[in-house]
Amino acid sequence: MTRPADQAFRRHELGFLQLDPLPDEASLRAFYGDDYYADLEENPRRGPDLERLKSTDGRAEAERAWLESTLYTDVRHYLSELGLRPGSMVDVGCGTGDFVASMTAAGWQATGTELSGDAVHLGRSRGLQVLRTDLQSFVADADPVDVVAMFNVLEHVRDPISELHAAHALLQ
């Protein structure tokens, strides 16, 4: 799914930018499910952070170390300040599972959901609990969790409000 030259953006009521018009659900699923990582080989400028995470020249480990020492540490600190101790959590759109790995190492029962088969394979090859599913399907079969994480997810779905409702239901 490449963005046509005449594709515009609109600001969603939640404040982020979305394509306007949005691709249909089938196109989104195909792009994020089958084409997302494969497209990096043809167009590496589209996702330099993902390209680094797939690299074998040390960039992936440097990127993971940076994320661990900044974002992931900050999230755990914030959860601790809220009084949450390691419990169950799900990372929606977990990619290759780096946050899942970080939370697992910190004692959490962490699961990731991801549409990309390539990303799921990479996560599972690292021994992580990564499921190829979307949030709506995951919620239908899952037990409640203590934490739902979503990094760079809402701007990629057709109905972000519905995704937030599904995440809330998972926390009940």
Side-chain angles (χ1 to χ4, degrees):
M1 180 179 82
T2 58
R3 186 172 73 84
D6 62 343
Q7 184 78 51
F9 295 93
R10 71 173 178 88
R11 186 161 302 278
H12 188 276
E13 65 187 271
L14 297 176
F16 55 81
L17 293 178
Q18 279 189 314
L19 292 174
D20 185 25
L22 281 170
D24 62 48
E25 188 67 33
S27 296
L28 285 171
R29 283 188 170 275
F31 179 72
Y32 290 111
D34 299 324
D35 301 337
Y36 196 57
Y37 282 77
D39 187 50
L40 289 177
E41 294 168 12
E42 295 174 22
N43 186 6
R45 293 185 64 208
R46 187 184 59 74
D49 55 333
L50 295 173
E51 184 63 25
R52 283 191 303 273
L53 288 172
K54 287 180 67 178
S55 74
T56 57
D57 62 4
R59 291 181 297 156
E61 289 312 311
E63 179 85 2
R64 287 185 178 101
W66 179 79
L67 286 167
E68 181 61 42
S69 68
T70 57
L71 178 62
Y72 302 162
T73 297
D74 288 348
V75 169
R76 283 193 304 277
H77 175 77
Y78 182 69
L79 292 174
S80 178
E81 283 188 346
L82 290 173
L84 292 170
R85 300 293 174 249
S88 59
M89 63 87 51
V90 61
D91 182 12
V92 178
C94 71
T96 60
D98 295 325
F99 186 62
V100 172
S102 178
M103 294 300 280
T104 299
W108 288 79
Q109 295 172 323
T111 300
T113 68
E114 176 58 48
L115 293 178
S116 167
D118 290 342
V120 169
H121 175 73
L122 289 168
R124 287 180 180 170
S125 72
R126 297 168 55 202
L128 302 173
Q129 177 73 20
V130 178
L131 306 174
R132 187 171 188 186
T133 189
D134 60 34
L135 178 59
Q136 304 289 336
S137 300
F138 181 79
V139 168
D141 296 326
D143 292 328
V145 296
D146 300 310
V147 172
V148 176
M150 289 185 194
F151 299 104
N152 303 311
V153 170
L154 295 177
E155 66 272 26
H156 297 275
V157 297
R158 287 192 54 83
D159 187 356
I161 302 293
S162 177
E163 291 294 299
L164 291 171
H165 284 294
H168 183 258
L170 196 52
L171 294 168
Q172 300 300 315

